[in-house]
Amino acid sequence: NILGTCEIMNLAVDPDHRRAGVGQSLLRTGLTRLQELGGKEVFLEVRESNDPARVLYERNGFKVVGMRSAYYSRPKEDALVLRLDLDPVA
């Protein structure tokens, strides 16, 4: 957290527990904590083909703000850069 800018490096759910709200809970808990610590904006990268993750992030207010060409390997793929403005904690 540098001057309110935060980055989610990795968020993963065990395959046996996907589609059960675990990812949503992890994301919301993390975002709430970032707000409490003074976070003002959050960035993350996601594989362009990762539709489930993209839906999760977009449902939580993240917007696509850029792309990193060939960011991922195995397989080689572009990453979408997403950003979320955090509302200040009252």
Side-chain angles (χ1 to χ4, degrees):
N1 178 349
I2 298 186
L3 302 177
T5 300
C6 309
E7 185 172 2
I8 295 174
M9 301 299 292
N10 198 356
L11 187 133
V13 176
D14 182 277
D16 291 340
H17 296 93
R18 291 183 184 156
R19 311 280 310 152
V22 175
Q24 174 69 25
S25 181
L26 286 170
L27 182 61
R28 289 307 319 156
T29 299
L31 293 175
T32 298
R33 186 69 180 126
L34 288 174
Q35 285 178 296
E36 293 169 353
L37 293 170
K40 297 190 181 349
E41 62 182 353
V42 181
F43 289 89
L44 60 85
E45 288 92 10
V46 64
R47 280 185 183 272
E48 192 170 22
S49 67
N50 190 344
D51 291 333
R54 289 177 60 185
V55 167
L56 171 67
Y57 297 132
E58 290 170 5
R59 282 186 181 158
N60 283 277
F62 282 85
K63 304 286 184 210
V64 176
V65 295
M67 182 176 35
R68 299 186 194 278
S69 294
Y71 184 77
Y72 293 104
S73 59
R74 293 187 231 154
K76 189 175 190 177
E77 187 173 353
D78 297 341
L80 297 177
V81 179
L82 281 70
R83 179 179 183 270
L84 173 69
D85 284 321
L86 294 173
D87 294 326
V89 175

